[in-house]
Amino acid sequence: MEHKKIGSENQDSYDDLQKWVLDSSFDSKGHVPLRARTGAWRAAFFIIAIEFSERLSYYGLATNLVVYLTTILHQDLKTAIRNANYWAGVTTLMPLLGGFVADAYLGRYTTVLVATTIYLMGLVLLTLSWFIPGLKPCHQEVCLEPRKAHEIAFFIAIYLISIGTGGHKPSLESFGADQFDEGHAEERKMKMSYFNWWSAGLCAGILTAVIVIVFIEDRVGWGVASIILTAVMTISLLIFLVGKPFYRYRKPLGSPLTPMLQVFVAAFAKRKLPYPSDPSLLHEVSKAELNNGRLLSHTTHVKFLDKAAIIEDNTPQALQKQSPWRLATLTKVEETKLIINMIPIWLSVLVFGICAAQASTFFIKQATVMDRHVSGKNSFTIPPASIYCLTAITLIMYVTVYDKLLVPFLRRNTQNQRGINILQRVGIGMFFAVITMIIAALVEKKRLDLLTEQNRPMSVFWLAPQFIVLGVAEGFTLVGLQEYFYDQVPDSMRSLGIAF
């Protein structure tokens, strides 16, 4: 009779897990989410749509920024490159602040809304600077120096976009991953595919930017391009808001850095205490007492930090009164270890970042001095920045083949749900990055030899192999890193993990 009762309770628990999402998330009304009506792909598609729009706007501006500074603002090349680098640097660092604010205070959904609004303000100001008479670059068709008002409006606009990117980039991707329940087998598989299709949506935005938007900026006008970018961002924001009933939300948990600091302080304070004979004697809360996140098992590396969880007084009254600066839970200790473990990975892939950065700098510079005609001297000329579309197209094709063909094949042969583990995927991508650099070096040597010996430029299509191989490298490494930094950080730091 007792056996039947336990079996019935297990069945009820399984039914609840199938019906409800029990991972500390909540729906738009603040209730436990119903699995059939919230999250998963029904929510992720709204999120990927706004990422497409953001990348379209960002690359539509970034790829031609130096051209704008030199031709419209009449800056010399050195000043233009310096200003472009300042903007790129601020834009790169802002996600660290945006990720921290999202995790600690506002939550990911609210941060996305605020960031997108700021982003849209920048695009609107950029558009107005071309159509309001007092803000136009010139009062006549040709001028040697732009109006100061236009210059001020332009820089305010692009730095508003930079701030918007800072909140948008880390929060949106982690918010999308939050739509999949890690504790549910089917949704766990979906999450593994999510990072692939997120990158496909991102690359579709880049592809549209470097082909369509760059062409419009060069051949039609910057004002028209700004109108298009503003309209697309507005529509995507409305689409994102329409998806509100389908999203799963998580509460911000306060500063994610404070628990880490508490672990170090507690471990140092108890540095002279002996280790317990059994890890089960270390302090930990029960699953029922845990309000958010997941319990982590004990690991043996960075053992010094275990001392933060050593219990000095085992009485219930003493445990309740114990300061978190003196006693940390085993889960907090293990979360700190996760961050420490990530540091070598993060440092090692900086080399890949250097390789990937060549696509938008050195490779594009190569394209500017090569023959960019499609067939003959009088045929269509390819804009230099548009050659980057080869990387975007390759990445989209890679994602489709990898997710639909390669992963199912590898699952059957490796018994790993991901097909291969994340670090193997990152390593394969870094190998392809090395191949990219070798190809780029050989092509550049051939270009210089041709210019020296025959005094004629090489066709830009010689750059195709390095852009294509780089697309494969990014498919393995960048997508793998996104999944790694989301999966390996504590639940309270996932936006910050994506920012890194």
Side-chain angles (χ1 to χ4, degrees):
M1 191 70 177
E2 186 67 24
H3 178 74
K4 289 183 178 178
K5 184 178 178 182
I6 293 173
S8 176
E9 288 175 353
N10 288 339
Q11 182 62 41
D12 290 343
S13 176
Y14 175 78
D15 291 342
D16 283 344
L17 187 62
Q18 294 302 310
K19 184 176 181 181
W20 305 98
V21 181
L22 306 175
D23 65 348
S24 304
S25 61
F26 56 91
D27 63 17
S28 58
K29 297 179 180 178
H31 303 144
V32 176
L34 193 62
R35 191 177 300 281
R37 295 182 183 176
T38 63
W41 288 116
R42 71 179 60 81
F45 284 129
F46 291 101
I47 295 166
I48 291 174
I50 197 170
E51 173 62 11
F52 166 85
S53 171
E54 191 275 333
R55 291 292 87 183
L56 174 71
S57 300
Y58 178 80
Y59 275 88
L61 178 63
T63 50
N64 249 3
L65 182 58
V66 172
V67 175
Y68 190 98
L69 294 172
T70 53
T71 59
I72 306 299
L73 298 188
H74 298 286
Q75 294 182 351
D76 62 85
L77 185 60
K78 184 178 178 181
T79 303
I81 290 174
R82 185 174 67 245
N83 283 328
N85 285 337
Y86 285 158
W87 180 75
V90 171
T91 306
T92 304
L93 291 174
M94 284 304 294
L96 293 175
L97 177 61
F100 178 82
V101 170
D103 286 338
Y105 303 110
L106 295 183
R108 288 156 198 156
Y109 176 78
T110 304
T111 303
V112 171
L113 283 184
V114 172
T116 306
T117 303
I118 295 171
Y119 205 120
L120 198 52
M121 288 167 57
L123 290 174
V124 168
L125 181 56
L126 200 61
T127 304
L128 293 177
S129 71
W130 275 92
F131 293 99
I132 292 180
L135 293 179
K136 285 184 176 182
C138 297
H139 62 277
Q140 55 194 15
E141 287 298 319
V142 179
C143 62
L144 298 177
E145 190 175 345
R147 285 183 175 142
K148 198 68 178 176
H150 177 81
E151 195 171 346
I152 292 170
F154 174 77
F155 279 107
I156 291 174
I158 65 171
Y159 277 98
L160 282 173
I161 291 170
S162 183
I163 294 168
T165 302
H168 194 284
K169 197 79 183 96
S171 307
L172 189 66
E173 185 171 359
S174 54
F175 183 62
D178 287 345
Q179 306 308 310
F180 302 91
D181 180 8
E182 188 71 26
H184 188 267
E186 282 302 312
E187 290 196 15
R188 186 163 56 249
K189 286 183 181 179
M190 292 178 191
K191 182 185 281 190
M192 295 170 194
S193 293
Y194 162 75
F195 288 100
N196 291 322
W197 292 108
W198 167 272
S199 296
L202 178 153
C203 283
I206 297 173
L207 183 63
T208 308
V210 299
I211 292 178
V212 179
I213 301 301
V214 167
F215 178 82
I216 292 171
E217 288 167 349
D218 287 350
R219 302 299 175 87
V220 181
W222 287 87
V224 176
S226 298
I227 291 174
I228 294 170
L229 295 179
T230 304
V232 171
M233 181 61 82
T234 303
I235 293 168
S236 67
L237 177 59
L238 295 175
I239 292 172
F240 182 70
L241 291 171
V242 168
K244 184 178 180 180
F246 303 104
Y247 300 143
R248 298 171 187 169
Y249 306 84
R250 292 180 185 271
K251 291 180 181 178
L253 302 176
S255 172
L257 304 179
T258 302
M260 292 176 56
L261 187 59
Q262 289 171 341
V263 168
F264 283 110
V265 171
F268 182 78
K270 292 184 281 189
R271 63 192 180 279
K272 295 182 180 179
L273 295 180
Y275 291 102
S277 57
D278 191 333
S280 63
L281 298 175
L282 296 171
H283 176 53
E284 184 61 287
V285 296
S286 66
K287 183 67 176 175
E289 294 176 279
L290 191 70
N291 295 323
N292 287 288
R294 50 192 167 164
L295 292 174
L296 299 180
S297 301
H298 178 260
T299 57
T300 55
H301 55 274
V302 200
K303 196 174 180 181
F304 169 75
L305 294 179
D306 290 351
K307 292 193 174 186
I310 293 176
I311 301 171
E312 296 173 284
D313 188 342
N314 207 18
T315 61
Q317 294 83 358
L319 287 175
Q320 288 179 355
K321 295 178 182 179
Q322 191 71 266
S323 166
W325 296 93
R326 184 73 187 183
L327 180 66
T329 64
L330 179 60
T331 290
K332 294 298 180 188
V333 171
E334 292 302 322
E335 287 178 345
T336 305
K337 290 180 182 180
L338 284 175
I339 300 302
I340 293 172
N341 290 341
M342 286 169 53
I343 293 172
I345 305 297
W346 184 76
L347 290 173
S348 66
V349 297
L350 289 178
V351 178
F352 177 84
I354 295 170
C355 296
Q358 303 309 307
S360 57
T361 53
F362 177 66
F363 293 178
I364 299 297
K365 180 63 178 174
Q366 280 181 304
T368 61
V369 294
M370 297 174 81
D371 181 7
R372 291 179 281 112
H373 295 92
V374 175
S375 57
K377 290 294 181 183
N378 297 321
S379 64
F380 175 75
T381 303
I382 302 170
S386 295
I387 195 70
Y388 188 77
C389 72
L390 293 173
T391 297
I393 292 170
T394 303
L395 213 159
I396 293 171
M397 293 173 61
Y398 158 85
V399 165
T400 305
V401 172
Y402 184 85
D403 195 69
K404 296 300 182 184
L405 299 178
L406 196 55
V407 169
F409 171 77
L410 290 171
R411 277 175 181 161
R412 288 193 298 269
N413 289 274
T414 64
Q415 307 304 312
N416 185 326
Q417 285 191 328
R418 288 189 170 91
I420 54 176
N421 68 50
I422 298 175
L423 293 183
Q424 286 174 334
R425 182 173 184 174
V426 171
I428 292 170
M430 293 183 75
F431 171 77
F432 276 107
V434 172
I435 301 299
T436 301
M437 291 298 103
I438 292 172
I439 294 172
L442 293 174
V443 169
E444 178 65 1
K445 183 179 184 303
K446 176 72 175 176
R447 185 187 74 81
L448 292 174
D449 289 345
L450 197 65
L451 199 63
T452 304
E453 295 169 7
Q454 301 182 28
N455 195 28
R456 65 182 180 88
M458 178 190 280
S459 170
V460 76
F461 293 106
W462 277 93
L463 296 180
Q466 64 202 56
F467 276 100
I468 291 170
V469 177
L470 181 64
V472 177
E474 290 188 355
F476 277 103
T477 296
L478 289 185
V479 179
L481 285 174
Q482 289 167 359
E483 188 173 355
Y484 178 80
F485 279 100
Y486 178 87
D487 186 64
Q488 294 297 308
V489 298
D491 293 350
S492 60
M493 292 183 66
R494 283 181 161 168
S495 295
L496 203 54
I498 292 294
F500 277 110

